Amino acid sequence: MKRLLSVLLTAGVLVAPTLAMAQHNPAAAPAAEGQIVGDAPGAAPDSAKGAEASTSGSGGEAHATPHYPLEKPSELDWTFAGPFGHWDLGQLQRGLKVYKEVCSTCHSMNLVSFRDFGALGYSDAQVRALAAEYQITDPSPNASGEMFQRPGIPSDRLPSPYPNPEAAAAALGGAHPPDLSLLAKARSIERGFPTFVFDIFTQYAEGGPDYIHNLLTSYGEPVPEHFVVQPGTYYNPAFVSSFALAMPAPLSDGAVTYDDGAPQTVEQYSRDVSAFLMWAAEPHLVERKATGFVVMIFLIGFAIMLYLVKNRVWADTPH
């Protein structure tokens, strides 16, 4: 048995270097069926090594993988920006009108109640009249056990244009439009380093409105040659998930009539509805910033007072 083990060990010592040399030198070992000599199984070709590539559907030309959105939103001037911001009630009322006449045909706002519009400067009578324009399915059945519809009341939430998400997807080609209640907080582009550090001090919270405005105003740009837009989608370089989306351009000049003399343009419509969606997502934004500013002043004053008290208490103590 000992002699057999010694023979096997000797054979292993002789064979192992030979196999190692064969693996190191591709020419010394035959290639497996279907494998390219010199490349590991599953390895990318040399043209794609070290960089991601995408190929257009027509020319086959390689292009670097894009990072979305293709166009990052510009920082706009909003009245609610900064620690001393405030809501422009006229702009919010115009944004509500844009939502009612344009956006509400597809998008819901299930977390907003009619009575919340009192914060936009509307009276109780105006809020009741606005709610009565909608037909609401009462959550409780009638005496016969049947569901029924009635005019809306201030405590009702804005109804969805579709009975359920499946019906919305079926009516819109398989794409379910998102609810807009919190969209201005949910859609925001990462600003990266070091910008986000300065945002802590400037209290930048307008990423959502900046993105929404950029998205609504970026339709109609020429499609680059290496992008293939599928049927039923529309090119938009401001979209956060791709270069095209299923929603066509919702706004056009003159689509909504303003009573206060504001410009009836896509630029103005997008600004107004973006501000309105920001208010819907965080209606207490201005109050929160004001409270935070007062708290910071108090903490700074309190820290100064503690420092002076410490010096007074330990003034006569030798160090």
Side-chain angles (χ1 to χ4, degrees), residues 36-259:
I36 301 175
V37 175
D39 286 343
D46 292 339
S47 60
K49 288 180 180 179
E52 294 177 303
S54 62
T55 305
S56 64
S58 57
E61 182 182 357
H63 301 277
T65 300
H67 297 279
Y68 302 114
L70 300 178
E71 294 182 2
K72 291 197 174 183
S74 303
E75 293 186 31
L76 303 178
D77 293 329
W78 303 97
T79 60
F80 51 83
F84 306 105
H86 65 279
W87 296 115
D88 183 348
L89 297 185
Q91 184 179 50
L92 298 183
Q93 291 180 7
R94 293 194 302 268
L96 172 60
K97 190 170 186 178
V98 174
Y99 168 77
K100 284 179 54 184
E101 299 185 13
V102 179
C103 308
S104 64
T105 58
C106 298
H107 295 273
S108 61
M109 294 191 73
N110 295 328
L111 302 181
V112 179
S113 301
F114 290 105
R115 61 188 174 191
D116 296 334
F117 295 145
L120 304 185
Y122 294 107
S123 63
D124 291 341
Q126 290 174 316
V127 171
R128 291 182 180 277
L130 176 62
E133 296 178 3
Y134 293 82
Q135 288 294 314
I136 307 295
T137 301
D138 197 277
S140 302
N142 57 18
S144 302
E146 299 176 350
M147 307 303 294
F148 66 97
Q149 288 192 329
R150 54 167 176 78
I153 58 177
S155 60
D156 290 327
R157 294 184 176 181
L158 271 69
S160 173
Y162 299 98
N164 51 65
E166 290 73 17
L172 299 175
H176 172 225
D179 183 85
L180 299 184
S181 302
L182 303 176
L183 191 73
K185 299 293 289 184
R187 297 290 191 272
S188 183
I189 306 301
E190 294 184 1
R191 290 161 63 80
F193 181 84
T195 308
F196 76 90
V197 177
F198 299 105
D199 293 343
I200 299 175
F201 302 96
T202 61
Q203 298 189 20
Y204 177 80
E206 299 81 52
D210 288 342
Y211 167 73
I212 295 172
H213 172 270
N214 196 41
L215 179 72
L216 295 176
T217 56
S218 295
Y219 285 95
E221 297 191 12
V223 182
E225 294 181 358
H226 56 280
F227 287 119
V228 179
V229 179
Q230 300 298 326
T233 61
Y234 304 87
Y235 177 73
N236 192 320
F239 188 40
V240 71
S241 300
S242 181
F243 58 86
L245 68 165
M247 181 180 72
L251 301 174
S252 60
D253 292 344
V256 180
T257 302
Y258 283 159
D259 301 327

Side-chain angles (χ1 to χ4, degrees), residues 249-276:
L251 301 174
S252 60
D253 292 344
V256 180
T257 302
Y258 283 159
D259 301 327
D260 59 357
Q264 299 175 140
T265 61
V266 172
E267 174 70 21
Q268 189 64 45
Y269 294 152
S270 61
R271 281 179 176 267
D272 295 341
V273 75
S274 299
F276 169 73

